[in-house]
Amino acid sequence: MSGSSSTGFGRVFRTISAQTQRSQYEQDRDRYGVGEEDEIGDGIPLSEAESWTMKPSIKEFSAADEKDGKGRRRLGVTWKNLQVKGYSSDSAMSDNVLSQFDIPAHIKEARHRAPLKSIIEDSSGCVKPGEMLLVLGRPGAGCTTLLKQLSNKRHGFAEINGDVHWGSLDHQQAKQYRGQIAMNTEEELFFPTLTVGQTMDFATRMKVPSHLPSGISDVDDYQRKMRDFLLQSMGIEHTADTKVGGAFVRGVSGGERKRVSIIETLVTKGSVMCWDNSTRGLDASTALEYTKAIRAMTDILGIASIVTLYQAGNGIYHLFDKVLVLDEGKQIHYGPMKEARPFMEDLGFICNDSANVADFLTGVTVPTEREVRPALEDRFPRTADAIREQWLKTPMKAAMESELDYPQRPEVAQATKEFQEAVAHDKQKSLPRKSPLTVSFGSQVKACVIRQYQILWGDAATFTIKQGSTLVQALIAGSLFYDAPDNSSGLFLKGGALFFALLFNSLLAMSEVTDSFSGRPVLAKHKSFTFYHPAAFCIAQITADIPVILFQVSAFSIVLYFMVGLTTSAGAFFTFWALLVTTTFAMTALFRAIGAAFSTFDAASKVSGLMISALIMYTGYMIPKTKMHPWFVWIYWIDPLAYGFEALLGNEFHNKSIPCVNNNLVPSGPSYTNLVNQACAGIGGALPGDNVVSGDAYLASLSYKHSHLWRNFGIIWAWWALFVAITIIFTSRWKDTSSSSGALLIPREKAKKHARAVKDVESQVSEKTSRNTSSSDLSGDTKNIDEHLIRNTSVFTWKNLSYTVNTPAGERILLDNVQGWVKPGQLGALMGSSGAGKTTLLDVLAQRKTEGTIRGSIQVDGRPLNVSFQRSAGYCEQMDVHEPLATVREALEFSALLRQSRETSREEKLRYVDTIIDLLEMRDIEHTLVGQVGAGLSVEQRKRLTIGVELVSKPSILIFLDEPTSGLDGQAAFNIVRFLKKLAAVGQAVLVTIHQPSASLFAQFDTLLLLAKGGRTVYFGDIGDNAATLKSYFAERGAPCPPSANPAEHMIDVVSGPLSKDRDWNQIWLESKEHAHAEQELARIISDAASKEPGTKDDGLEFAMPMWDQIKVVTQRMNISLYRNTDYVNNKFALHIFSALFTGFSFWKVGNGVQDLQLCLFAIFNFIFVAPGVLAQLQPLFIERRDIYETREKKSKMYSWPAFVTGLIVSEIPYLCICAVFYFACWYYTVGFPTSSAKAGATFFVMLMYEFVYTGIGQFIAAYAPNAVFASLANPLFLGILVSFCGVLVPYAQITGFWRYWIYYLNPFNYLMGSMLTFTLFDREVRCDEMEFATFNPPTNQTCGGYLREYLVGIGSRANLANPEAETQCRVCQYTRGSDYLYTLNLKDYYYGWRDAAIVCLFAISSYALVYVLMKLRTKASKKAE
C-alpha cells in the first residue's frame, strides 16, 4: 500500500509538521491505515503496490523477525545545507605523441588550474523510514552525486560541506554500517562466467544472520529460501542456470542482468537504499514491477528509499511520497509528490494530461521543452535560480524544513539504538565489535573459495588451454633437452632445462596481473556491500590456486624431468618438484601483488614486464653470479628465481663426477688416449690436469653450495608470505571506482578550432538552453535539411520471416513467421517485452547475422536484396561503438567519405557532414574526442553521434535504430524521436525499437509491430491518432486501455505482463480480421512495387569506394588514432629504452674471454624479449579495433578487411622505427660491440627488421584470437617454441634430430640471432681468462707444440696454444677468434650474417602476410534469408 488518503498528502504532511513528537509507530499506522477504496487523484488506486505478487512473502519475513524479537532496522536519512564540489572543467586537453613534450604549455596550464566546480548547491531534505523519494534531473544535474552522499560514498569529491545523518549517526559513525546503507549504481559489475544462481548463492551466503529465523533449521536452508525469494521477486528464476554474461561473454539479456544487480543490492537488507537509474534497459512493465517491489519493501520493512530515474512513467511516478528536482546542482523543488505538478503549473508551466509528470518537471528550465501559459509569457521564471526562489517562498519549503531536526528527536535516537542492536544481533560473535561484516571470516573464505572454483569452471575453455599448453610446452622442452648426457656436454643442457622449468611457470603466472584487473570492480562493489573482507578474497584465491598449481607443476615436472634424464632417484625428483611448486607459488603471489598495488592496468603491465626481465636476467643462468656487476648484483639477492635456480642446480649436481668430453677435453682424438696428458677446457671448477670435474666444484665455481638447498626453500616461502601480505594490504585499500566527472576531451592539435566553434555557438544563444546540448531545438532549418536529405521512394517488406539458432539444448526459434513493411515517410515502432526478439528482428532485416538459419523473404520494391543493400540502409545499433580517439567531426567525415557514392566529390561529402552536424546540434562538440564512457561524450551525445554516422552515409533505402532512447532522459529521448519524425517527413523510411516510451513519445510513431516472447507477432498495423486504432484492437478483445494510462505501457502489460491472463495473444492476432487485412495489403504492396521501376538504383558495387581510397582513409584514421594514444606509444618507447639500458649495463663492456662470448650471446638473446611486453599492449588494442570493425563498420560495408589490416600495419611502422633506434642507441655501445659503422649499421638493420617480425607475429595471433585473454595465452606458447629452437638454449649440434631439420630452419629467431652474432663477434680476438685455459703436462721430453701438432691441425684447429715451446703446463684456449666460437653455433662464414639478415626480411614480409590471411579466415559473410 502506498500514498496517502484522498484528502491528499497535505493532511499527513500537516500532521507530521504539527506533531513532530508522535512516535514513529503511530505515524506509520496513520500513514498506512487508509481505506482500500481511497485514491490518489487521477483515479489511481492507492494500493498500487498491493498488486505486487511477492508482497505476502515480505510480510512473512517481517512477521518472523518480529516474532523472534529482532529489533527493527529503521534509520531514515536527513541532509542539511549539503554542498559538493568536484575537480572538473567542462573540457580537458588530450595530448598527442609530440605535444606531450611541450613543457611551456604544460607549465602554463598547471598555473591556471580550473576552479572547483559546484556539483550540488545547498540541498536539504529528509527521507524517513517507510518513505520513497524520487530524485529527478537531467544527465549532469547532480542526481548520482546526491545519491552517493546519501549512501555515504564520499570518495572522489574535492569538497563536501553540510550534514548528513542516518538516523542519528553522522558520516563517520555510519561507516561501520556501510552494508546497511547501500547504493545500486548504474553499472552492472559481475563475474560474467558465473551463472545467475551462483552469483546470488554467493551474495545470500554472505548475509546469513547468526540467529536464524524460527522455523529455519540450518544456514543452507535460509540461504536457499532467500535466494529463491529474490529471484522470484524480479521474475528471473528461469535464468538461475544461465551465465550472467557481459560485454564479451554471452549470458542473460540486458534487462535480466539489470534485475540481477537489483536483487544483489537487496541482499544487503539495507535500511537506507539508493537506486541510481535502476530501470535502465528494462521495459515499461518490468520497470513498474520493480518500483512496486521497492514500494512494498519500503512500506513493510521501514526502509528509506531514494531513487533516480530517467523516463519514469506516471504509474511509477505515483508510487513515490516525495519528489526532489535538481537542475545543474540546484534544488529547484522538494516536497510531496502530490504538490510538485501543481507548484510548477502555478508558475505558468503547462503539463499535458498524457505527458509524463517526471519529464515535465525536469523540462521546465529548458526553453525548447517547456510550454508556458500565454498570460504568463513575460513573467514566468526562466532559469533554475528563478524557480528555486519561487520555491523558497512556498509554505511547502517551511513544512519540509520542519523535518530537518529529525536526527535530534529522542525517538530517532531510540530507533538508531534498536538498529545498532539488530545489526549486532545478526553478526557472528567471532567478528570484532566494530566490523561491518555479517558472517565469520572462515565462512567468508569458504564462500570465496567456492566462487573462485565456479569462476574457473565457468571459463573452462581458458583453464583447459592453460593446462594443455603447459603439457605441450613440457613435451617440447623435454624433447629439446632430450636425454642430456651425464658428461661435460650435458652441463649446459641440464642447466638450461632447470632454468626453463622456472621460466615457463613464471611466465604463466604473469596472467595474474590481467586477472587482478578483471575482478577488481566487482570486489570494490562487494566491499561496499560488506559481503567479505578483502583478505578473505586474497586467501580464497591462494587456496583455490593450490590444486591448480599442484596439477600444473606435477604434469610439467614428470614430463620434463624424465625426458631430460635428470638424476633418477626419488629424493632428487621430489626435491625438484617441491622447489618448482614453491617458486611457482611465490611468482604467482608476486604478480598478484603487482596487480593489486597499481590502480591502472598500464602501470601494472609495465612494472610486471620490467620485473620479469630483471628477474630472469639475474637468475644466475644468463649471467653467472661471479660475472654480475656490483651496481645490479642486489637484484640477485632479492630474486626468488635465483634462490630456486641455486637449489635446483645443487639438487642435480651434488656428489656427481662429470667427465670432460669432445671439445671440453684437450687434446682429444684417436692419437690422444692417455688421460694423464689431457685436461678439461671451458668447464668451471676443473683443476689443472684433471679430466673429470666434481659436481660440487662446478657449483662452487658458480659460487653455489648444495648446503643452501633447504635454506633457499625457506627463503622462497618467506618471499611468498611477503607478497601475500602486500596483496592483502593493497587489496584492502581498493577504492570504489568513482565515476569521473565526464569532462570532454579535446585533442591538443584541435584546441584552437574548438575554441572558435564554442565562441560561435555561444554568440548565437541568447537565453540559457541547457548544459547538455541534447535538448536544443531540432526543428530549425528544416528547409535547409530538406534540400540535402535523400528522398526515398522504395518500399521495404518482409514476409514469413523465421530465425533459428542452435543451442546446446537443440534448435531455438527466436523469430516466428513475422511479417510487415515500412513505406517512405513512415516512422515504424517495433516493441515487445525484454527478450521478445526486437533486436534480433532488426539484425535479420539489416543483414547483420552471421550465425543461425533465416527463412522467409526480405525485399526492397518487391525484389530480393542487392549487393549494396547493407551500405544503402542505415543501422544504428544499441551499443554506441566508435573509435575512441577520433573527434566527432572525424567520425562523421570517415563515414561520409567511405559510404557515400564514389560519384560524389569529396568537397560535397564534407559539406553534407556540416549539414548533419548542424542538424544534430553538435557544432559545439565537433572537435572533442569520442572517448570512453565516463571520459568523453555523454551517453546521449554518443547516441546522437551513432545516428549521425549513419545519416552522413545518405542511406537511400531506410534507417533502422535499435533502442535509440535507452539510458537517456525524457527530453533527450523526445528530441531523438522528434528528429526521426522529421526524417520521415522528408520521405525517409524509419524503423525503431523502443523500450519505455512515454505517451507523447509513442504518439510520434505511425505504425507498430508488437512482438511477444519467442518473436511471435501480436499486432502489426497503424497506431492511429492518440493510439486510437491500437486501443480499439485491444478493447474489442477484452483488454481496454484506461483513459489515464500510457497505451505503450498498457499493451506490453497486456501481452506479457500482469494483464495477459495467460491468453495466447499471438493466436488471437492470427485469427483476427486485422491480420487477414495486413496479409492482403502486404501482397498488394509487393506486387505493385515489383511491377514498377525500382525506387533505388543498384550500382552493383559491394563498397562505395574503390580499394585504394578505402586504404587511404582507413590508414589516415589509424595514424591519427595512434598519434593521440600517448599511453600506448610511451609504453612502447619506455619498454625499449629501459630494456636496452638494463641489458646494456648488466653486460657492460663485456671482456674477451671464452665465457664472455657466452655473455655476448645472451646480451643479444635478451633483445628478443622486448616482444612479450610490447605484444601484451599491442594485442588488446588490435582486438579492440577489430571489434569496432566487426560490430559496425564491416556490417555496414563501410570498407573491406584488407583496408582495415593495411591501416593497422602501416600506422605502427613509424613508431617501430623509432623503437629500434632507441634500443640500438642505448644498448649496442654499452655492451661494447664493434664500433665500425659497417657492423653497427648491419646490426641496426637486423634489429629494425625484428621489430616488424614480432609485431607481425603479435598481429596475426590477435587477428584470429577470439579475445585478448586467448591471445595472451597463445603468446607464451608461440614465442616459447621459437625461443627454444633458435640455437641459444641448446646449440645446433645438440638439438634433437626430429626438430633440427625443420623447426630450426623455419624459425625467424634463429636467423635474427645468427645475423647479429656474425656482425658483432666474427672478428673478435679471444683471450682466455686464467680459469679458462686447459692446463696439462705433455709426455716427457716433448714440447707442448710438438705434442699437440696433430690436434691443432685436426679436431683442435680452432684452439689457441699459448705456450708452444714449454715442456710443462701446456695452456690451451678453446678458441682463437670469435669466428671459431660461431662455428660451434652453425655459423660457418661471414656471409652467413647477410644471408640471415635477408631471411629475417622475408620473415617480416611473411608475418605481415599472415595477418591478412588470418583476418580473411576470420571474416564471415552475413546470413541471407533462404
Side-chain angles (χ1 to χ4, degrees):
M1 261 207 343
S2 85
S4 166
S5 70
S6 52
T7 49
F9 232 104
R11 190 194 73 194
V12 171
F13 163 62
R14 280 190 296 278
T15 316
I16 291 171
S17 43
Q19 305 184 342
T20 47
Q21 298 309 312
R22 290 174 56 195
S23 78
Q24 181 67 43
Y25 176 74
E26 287 177 305
Q27 286 182 37
D28 283 356
R29 191 186 57 204
D30 252 15
R31 223 177 125 189
Y32 303 124
V34 261
E36 284 293 313
E37 71 289 343
D38 282 355
E39 290 184 347
I40 303 176
D42 307 342
I44 292 170
L46 224 187
S47 50
E48 274 269 11
E50 282 295 347
S51 65
W52 185 53
T53 43
M54 303 298 291
K55 190 157 183 181
S57 312
I58 291 259
K59 284 184 170 163
E60 276 172 41
F61 275 116
S62 182
D65 279 356
E66 297 273 329
K67 189 172 145 199
D68 296 340
K70 284 193 183 176
R72 291 166 143 205
R73 299 164 167 240
R74 301 193 163 194
L75 272 185
V77 58
T78 313
W79 65 104
K80 195 172 178 180
N81 307 336
L82 182 65
Q83 252 190 331
V84 182
K85 293 185 175 179
Y87 303 103
S88 163
S89 55
D90 287 336
S91 57
M93 285 295 156
S94 173
D95 276 309
N96 55 47
V97 171
L98 291 180
S99 73
Q100 61 181 337
F101 299 113
D102 182 0
I103 310 296
H106 292 294
I107 293 171
K108 192 172 154 194
E109 262 171 43
R111 282 216 187 112
H112 303 289
R113 287 295 298 274
L116 290 183
K117 177 181 163 216
S118 234
I119 305 175
I120 288 183
E121 286 179 40
D122 198 17
S123 169
S124 305
C126 171
V127 184
K128 299 191 187 120
E131 284 186 343
M132 282 176 75
L133 167 71
L134 175 61
V135 180
L136 293 173
R138 321 264 324 284
C143 302
T144 302
T145 302
L146 179 61
L147 259 64
K148 281 188 172 176
Q149 301 310 311
L150 300 187
S151 57
N152 209 12
K153 289 185 174 30
R154 299 165 80 94
H155 167 67
F157 298 100
E159 199 180 291
I160 300 172
N161 299 314
D163 299 327
V164 185
H165 282 88
W166 293 265
S168 58
L169 305 168
D170 65 23
H171 74 91
Q172 289 295 349
Q173 296 164 320
K175 274 184 187 168
Q176 189 187 331
Y177 300 101
R178 61 171 189 265
Q180 278 67 38
I181 302 168
M183 173 166 173
N184 175 258
T185 57
E186 224 174 329
E187 296 95 32
E188 286 106 51
L189 305 168
F190 294 106
F191 288 110
T193 56
L194 292 182
T195 65
V196 173
Q198 288 166 343
T199 304
M200 292 315 299
D201 266 341
F202 177 78
T204 47
R205 205 173 272 134
M206 295 286 91
K207 288 289 176 183
V208 175
S210 64
H211 298 82
L212 293 172
S214 48
I216 289 182
S217 51
D218 64 354
V219 169
D220 291 345
D221 186 30
Y222 174 86
Q223 181 252 320
R224 235 186 342 269
K225 281 191 172 151
M226 194 71 186
R227 178 197 66 191
D228 295 344
F229 161 72
L230 286 166
L231 289 170
Q232 284 166 7
S233 72
M234 284 288 137
I236 51 171
E237 60 274 27
H238 62 282
T239 64
D241 295 326
T242 313
K243 284 185 182 174
V244 178
F248 304 111
V249 178
R250 293 200 47 180
V252 296
S253 73
E256 287 164 341
R257 193 173 309 124
K258 188 82 225 175
R259 284 179 266 176
V260 178
S261 115
I262 289 168
I263 58 178
E264 191 183 41
T265 310
L266 291 174
V267 171
T268 58
K269 292 193 265 186
S271 303
V272 175
M273 301 284 248
C274 296
W275 303 92
D276 187 13
N277 198 8
S278 299
T279 58
R280 184 170 115 188
L282 301 183
D283 60 79
S285 168
T286 315
L288 182 60
E289 279 297 290
Y290 150 75
T291 318
K292 285 180 182 174
I294 301 297
R295 174 80 262 177
M297 291 181 192
T298 303
D299 289 352
I300 297 160
L301 304 174
I303 299 169
S305 299
I306 303 108
V307 185
T308 67
L309 295 175
Y310 291 154
Q311 301 186 44
N314 289 339
I316 292 174
Y317 176 79
H318 287 296
L319 286 168
F320 288 86
D321 303 311
K322 296 177 177 170
V323 174
L324 187 153
V325 185
L326 286 175
D327 188 271
E328 294 193 4
K330 300 179 179 73
Q331 184 169 312
I332 60 172
H333 171 271
Y334 164 63
M337 177 269 292
K338 284 284 311 272
E339 302 196 10
R341 179 174 168 179
F343 164 71
M344 292 295 184
E345 288 181 325
D346 291 348
L347 296 179
F349 302 108
I350 298 171
C351 178
N352 298 320
D353 284 342
S354 66
N356 280 352
V357 180
D359 289 348
F360 160 70
L361 293 176
T362 53
V364 291
T365 56
V366 185
T368 53
E369 303 303 324
R370 59 190 178 206
E371 286 182 59
V372 182
R373 290 213 303 277
L376 295 170
E377 271 292 357
D378 51 344
R379 59 176 194 277
F380 74 94
R382 282 173 158 71
T383 62
D385 289 318
I387 296 175
R388 179 176 165 83
E389 268 175 39
Q390 293 296 326
W391 172 70
L392 290 173
K393 297 174 190 165
T394 59
M396 177 176 19
K397 159 80 167 78
M400 288 286 120
E401 275 208 323
S402 68
E403 294 183 347
L404 297 183
D405 65 347
Y406 183 74
Q408 283 77 47
R409 299 179 191 174
E411 69 270 24
V412 175
Q414 179 55 37
T416 306
K417 192 163 172 260
E418 255 186 64
F419 160 81
Q420 289 170 314
E421 285 164 1
V423 172
H425 183 75
D426 276 355
K427 200 159 73 175
Q428 291 289 344
K429 295 289 169 276
S430 59
L431 291 169
R433 195 170 59 81
K434 287 207 162 174
S435 166
L437 305 166
T438 308
V439 298
S440 67
F441 191 72
S443 307
Q444 295 168 35
V445 173
K446 183 181 161 192
C448 287
V449 170
I450 293 171
R451 181 182 67 173
Q452 210 56 29
Y453 280 122
Q454 287 169 337
I455 292 170
L456 272 181
W457 194 243
D459 192 10
T462 308
F463 179 69
T464 317
I465 290 171
K466 209 169 172 178
Q467 299 311 322
S469 74
T470 308
L471 200 59
V472 172
Q473 274 287 24
L475 286 164
I476 290 170
S479 64
L480 173 69
F481 300 106
Y482 185 67
D483 205 9
D486 285 333
N487 53 36
S488 62
S489 60
L491 272 181
F492 187 61
L493 290 187
K494 287 182 176 177
L498 296 173
F499 172 69
F500 186 82
L502 292 173
L503 171 71
F504 179 70
N505 287 295
S506 307
L507 287 175
L508 270 187
M510 270 186 88
S511 65
E512 288 302 327
V513 178
T514 320
D515 293 350
S516 164
F517 284 88
S518 58
R520 182 174 297 193
V522 184
L523 189 119
K525 175 177 78 168
H526 286 171
K527 185 179 161 186
S528 74
F529 287 166
T530 62
F531 282 172
Y532 49 82
H533 191 281
F537 173 71
C538 297
I539 291 167
Q541 273 189 314
I542 294 160
T543 318
D545 276 347
I546 294 171
V548 177
I549 286 179
L550 290 182
F551 175 78
Q552 175 185 312
V553 172
S554 303
F556 185 82
S557 303
I558 291 170
V559 174
L560 181 79
Y561 195 88
F562 294 107
M563 281 182 78
V564 176
L566 299 173
T567 310
T568 47
S569 73
F573 171 71
F574 283 109
T575 307
F576 168 83
W577 177 84
L579 286 165
L580 204 49
V581 166
T582 311
T583 315
T584 306
F585 267 114
M587 295 306 286
T588 304
L590 167 67
F591 287 118
R592 206 168 268 163
I594 291 173
F598 289 92
S599 56
T600 65
F601 176 65
D602 264 354
S605 66
K606 252 189 279 200
V607 171
S608 63
L610 299 175
M611 185 75 84
I612 191 86
S613 61
L615 296 184
I616 288 170
M617 201 180 296
Y618 283 86
T619 301
Y621 172 72
M622 290 190 183
I623 310 177
K625 164 87 170 40
T626 49
K627 288 274 185 181
M628 290 178 188
H629 290 294
W631 51 81
F632 277 153
V633 75
W634 56 271
I635 300 176
Y636 173 83
W637 294 113
I638 60 163
D639 182 353
L641 292 178
Y643 292 100
F645 190 59
E646 180 184 3
L648 287 175
L649 283 180
N651 179 48
E652 179 57 33
F653 294 125
H654 177 54
N655 282 344
K656 292 271 173 63
S657 57
I658 303 155
C660 295
V661 294
N662 302 339
N663 64 348
N664 292 126
L665 187 62
V666 177
S668 57
S671 324
Y672 303 95
T673 50
N674 187 352
L675 295 178
V676 177
N677 306 117
Q678 292 172 311
C680 291
I683 299 291
L687 296 170
D690 272 6
N691 48 31
V692 173
V693 180
S694 89
D696 290 293
Y698 174 66
L699 290 172
S701 74
L702 299 169
S703 73
Y704 289 163
K705 285 184 184 165
H706 174 255
S707 57
H708 289 170
L709 195 153
W710 294 109
R711 178 203 77 169
N712 288 6
F713 181 75
I715 290 174
I716 298 170
W717 277 118
W719 279 120
W720 172 83
L722 174 71
F723 298 145
V724 169
I726 291 172
T727 309
I728 290 174
I729 290 164
F730 279 107
T731 307
S732 304
R733 292 178 157 184
W734 281 353
K735 296 279 192 288
D736 284 5
T737 42
S738 65
S739 59
S740 65
S741 53
L744 294 169
L745 298 170
I746 299 145
R748 174 91 47 192
E749 68 273 22
K750 302 273 185 191
K752 290 194 174 83
K753 282 186 180 175
H754 175 75
R756 268 205 305 276
V758 171
K759 218 177 246 137
D760 292 351
V761 171
E762 281 172 358
S763 61
Q764 290 162 16
V765 177
S766 52
E767 187 184 358
K768 173 214 167 212
T769 51
S770 136
R771 195 179 82 87
N772 275 3
T773 47
S774 66
S775 41
S776 354
D777 183 16
L778 290 169
S779 58
D781 303 342
T782 311
K783 61 178 192 305
N784 171 12
I785 293 150
D786 288 1
E787 291 163 19
H788 284 285
L789 286 173
I790 286 195
R791 289 187 175 277
N792 167 36
T793 54
S794 294
V795 182
F796 182 71
T797 58
W798 58 98
K799 189 174 179 182
N800 302 340
L801 203 56
S802 296
Y803 177 61
T804 49
V805 289
N806 289 318
T807 65
E811 282 210 338
R812 185 167 163 209
I813 298 177
L814 297 183
L815 294 176
D816 190 357
N817 269 337
V818 183
Q819 51 195 19
W821 63 82
V822 188
K823 295 179 187 169
Q826 250 185 15
L827 182 56
L830 174 53
M831 293 182 67
S833 61
S834 296
K838 306 183 289 293
T839 303
T840 309
L841 176 58
L842 277 198
D843 281 346
V844 168
L845 293 178
Q847 304 276 294
R848 294 297 202 263
K849 289 289 186 200
T850 54
E851 311 286 334
T853 312
I854 304 169
R855 292 194 176 80
S857 69
I858 305 173
Q859 297 180 323
V860 173
D861 290 332
R863 296 163 177 80
L865 302 184
N866 51 43
V867 69
S868 62
F869 172 76
Q870 273 173 269
R871 68 178 164 83
S872 342
Y875 184 13
C876 304
E877 301 199 32
Q878 202 170 337
M879 307 296 283
D880 302 311
V881 180
H882 297 287
E883 164 59 62
L885 290 162
T887 64
V888 170
R889 173 176 273 284
E890 284 162 0
L892 295 171
E893 287 182 352
F894 183 75
S895 179
L897 291 173
L898 287 173
R899 282 178 67 186
Q900 286 189 30
S901 157
R902 53 182 76 182
E903 270 73 59
T904 315
S905 71
R906 182 184 169 91
E907 290 67 34
E908 204 176 319
K909 289 179 182 179
L910 298 183
R911 264 203 307 280
Y912 188 65
V913 169
D914 278 324
T915 308
I916 297 293
I917 286 177
D918 288 333
L919 179 72
L920 286 170
E921 300 272 317
M922 298 179 95
R923 183 62 67 192
D924 57 337
I925 56 167
E926 65 175 323
H927 296 301
T928 61
L929 292 182
V930 175
Q932 306 287 1
V933 181
L937 300 186
S938 69
V939 174
E940 179 258 354
Q941 288 165 332
R942 300 172 89 80
K943 188 58 77 183
R944 276 188 292 150
L945 177 59
T946 304
I947 296 172
V949 163
E950 293 304 320
L951 286 181
V952 291
S953 69
K954 290 198 176 173
S956 54
I957 298 177
L958 86 163
I959 302 174
F960 300 103
L961 298 102
D962 190 8
E963 292 194 16
T965 61
S966 261
L968 307 186
D969 64 312
Q971 277 77 29
F974 191 72
N975 278 331
I976 280 177
V977 174
R978 188 167 58 179
F979 170 64
L980 296 175
K981 185 75 177 166
K982 188 191 296 179
L983 287 180
V986 183
Q988 266 295 357
V990 186
L991 182 60
V992 185
T993 66
I994 196 152
H995 241 343
Q996 289 175 304
S998 63
S1000 56
L1001 205 60
F1002 188 57
Q1004 303 286 318
F1005 291 93
D1006 304 315
T1007 60
L1008 169 72
L1009 171 55
L1010 183 57
L1011 296 177
K1013 279 265 186 326
R1016 297 175 319 171
T1017 309
V1018 174
Y1019 178 82
F1020 175 71
D1022 289 341
I1023 294 174
D1025 278 347
N1026 276 335
T1029 317
L1030 181 67
K1031 285 179 185 172
S1032 73
Y1033 172 80
F1034 281 106
E1036 286 165 18
R1037 286 155 185 81
C1041 177
S1044 64
N1046 174 352
E1049 291 177 9
H1050 169 74
M1051 68 191 185
I1052 288 185
D1053 278 348
V1054 168
V1055 174
S1056 56
L1059 305 178
S1060 67
K1061 305 185 180 127
D1062 294 333
R1063 293 168 69 185
D1064 184 349
W1065 284 95
N1066 171 244
Q1067 200 51 44
I1068 295 172
W1069 164 249
L1070 293 175
E1071 291 163 3
S1072 69
K1073 60 179 189 295
E1074 284 85 352
H1075 171 248
H1077 172 69
E1079 281 207 313
Q1080 290 160 8
E1081 180 67 5
L1082 180 62
R1084 185 190 66 72
I1085 290 173
I1086 291 176
S1087 66
D1088 277 9
S1091 62
K1092 294 181 196 152
E1093 272 290 293
T1096 42
K1097 295 280 185 283
D1098 176 28
D1099 53 15
L1101 300 166
E1102 189 177 3
F1103 299 100
M1105 297 302 284
M1107 178 65 82
W1108 176 241
D1109 289 312
Q1110 292 175 38
I1111 289 174
K1112 279 194 299 196
V1113 177
V1114 175
T1115 307
Q1116 167 72 353
R1117 176 174 77 164
M1118 300 283 185
N1119 280 333
I1120 292 173
S1121 167
L1122 261 193
Y1123 179 59
R1124 289 181 184 149
N1125 197 343
T1126 48
D1127 274 356
Y1128 173 76
V1129 174
N1130 290 351
N1131 272 354
K1132 225 184 177 83
F1133 290 168
L1135 231 146
H1136 278 79
I1137 293 170
F1138 184 89
S1139 302
L1141 290 173
F1142 186 68
T1143 309
F1145 282 100
S1146 293
F1147 294 96
W1148 172 257
K1149 300 293 182 204
V1150 175
N1152 286 343
V1154 172
Q1155 203 170 17
D1156 293 324
L1157 293 171
Q1158 189 78 34
L1159 290 180
C1160 288
L1161 171 79
F1162 280 123
I1164 294 172
F1165 184 56
N1166 260 311
F1167 174 52
I1168 288 180
F1169 292 101
V1170 293
V1174 177
L1175 295 190
Q1177 273 195 296
L1178 175 135
Q1179 289 172 330
L1181 187 75
F1182 185 102
I1183 289 170
E1184 193 184 309
R1185 294 278 148 76
R1186 188 191 72 193
D1187 288 342
I1188 294 174
Y1189 171 64
E1190 287 187 342
T1191 31
R1192 191 168 59 81
E1193 295 167 347
K1194 180 184 105 181
K1195 290 174 177 174
S1196 56
K1197 293 288 159 99
M1198 215 183 249
Y1199 54 92
S1200 60
W1201 62 266
F1204 168 73
V1205 176
T1206 309
L1208 271 173
I1209 289 174
V1210 172
S1211 60
E1212 286 277 357
I1213 289 175
Y1215 302 102
L1216 295 177
C1217 296
I1218 296 169
C1219 283
V1221 171
F1222 280 147
Y1223 198 99
F1224 177 81
C1226 296
W1227 165 82
Y1228 187 83
Y1229 298 103
T1230 42
V1231 178
F1233 285 135
T1235 49
S1236 83
S1237 50
K1239 293 189 171 164
T1243 309
F1244 172 71
F1245 171 73
V1246 179
M1247 291 172 76
L1248 179 62
M1249 285 304 117
Y1250 174 63
E1251 293 285 338
F1252 300 145
V1253 171
Y1254 79 74
T1255 305
I1257 291 173
Q1259 288 183 332
F1260 77 65
I1261 292 176
Y1264 203 69
N1267 54 42
V1269 176
F1270 181 90
S1272 69
L1273 288 173
N1275 288 341
L1277 186 65
F1278 198 84
L1279 293 175
I1281 292 172
L1282 295 183
V1283 165
S1284 305
F1285 293 101
C1286 70
V1288 173
L1289 296 179
V1290 180
Y1292 173 75
Q1294 288 179 295
I1295 297 176
T1296 321
F1298 171 72
W1299 299 112
R1300 192 187 317 164
Y1301 297 113
W1302 65 284
I1303 202 163
Y1304 174 81
Y1305 287 107
L1306 287 177
N1307 186 344
F1309 292 2
N1310 159 28
Y1311 301 102
L1312 169 76
M1313 291 299 300
S1315 52
M1316 287 175 74
L1317 283 166
T1318 306
F1319 295 140
T1320 52
L1321 291 184
F1322 198 83
D1323 295 329
R1324 183 178 279 235
E1325 291 291 327
V1326 177
R1327 289 191 292 278
C1328 274
D1329 294 347
E1330 210 46 52
M1331 293 288 296
E1332 293 170 341
F1333 281 109
T1335 311
F1336 54 89
N1337 291 324
T1340 342
N1341 302 329
Q1342 271 189 303
T1343 62
C1344 294
Y1347 172 55
L1348 293 175
R1349 189 174 297 117
E1350 197 176 318
Y1351 172 71
L1352 290 173
V1353 294
I1355 294 175
S1357 60
R1358 297 179 179 279
N1360 177 16
L1361 173 59
N1363 50 352
E1365 302 307 321
E1367 294 186 359
T1368 58
Q1369 299 288 309
C1370 303
R1371 289 149 57 84
V1372 177
C1373 185
Q1374 255 177 305
Y1375 308 114
T1376 310
R1377 293 170 70 241
S1379 53
D1380 302 328
Y1381 169 65
L1382 295 182
Y1383 198 87
T1384 64
L1385 299 176
N1386 198 32
L1387 296 168
K1388 296 175 180 168
D1389 206 339
Y1390 191 75
Y1391 79 83
Y1392 272 49
W1394 284 109
R1395 179 201 72 175
D1396 287 0
I1399 295 173
V1400 173
C1401 292
L1402 291 176
F1403 270 110
I1405 296 164
S1406 63
S1407 64
Y1408 280 139
L1410 275 173
V1411 188
Y1412 287 95
V1413 171
L1414 289 167
M1415 194 70 202
K1416 171 64 182 153
L1417 289 176
R1418 195 190 148 78
T1419 308
K1420 294 177 179 171
S1422 292
K1423 290 281 180 184
K1424 305 236 184 311
E1426 294 173 4

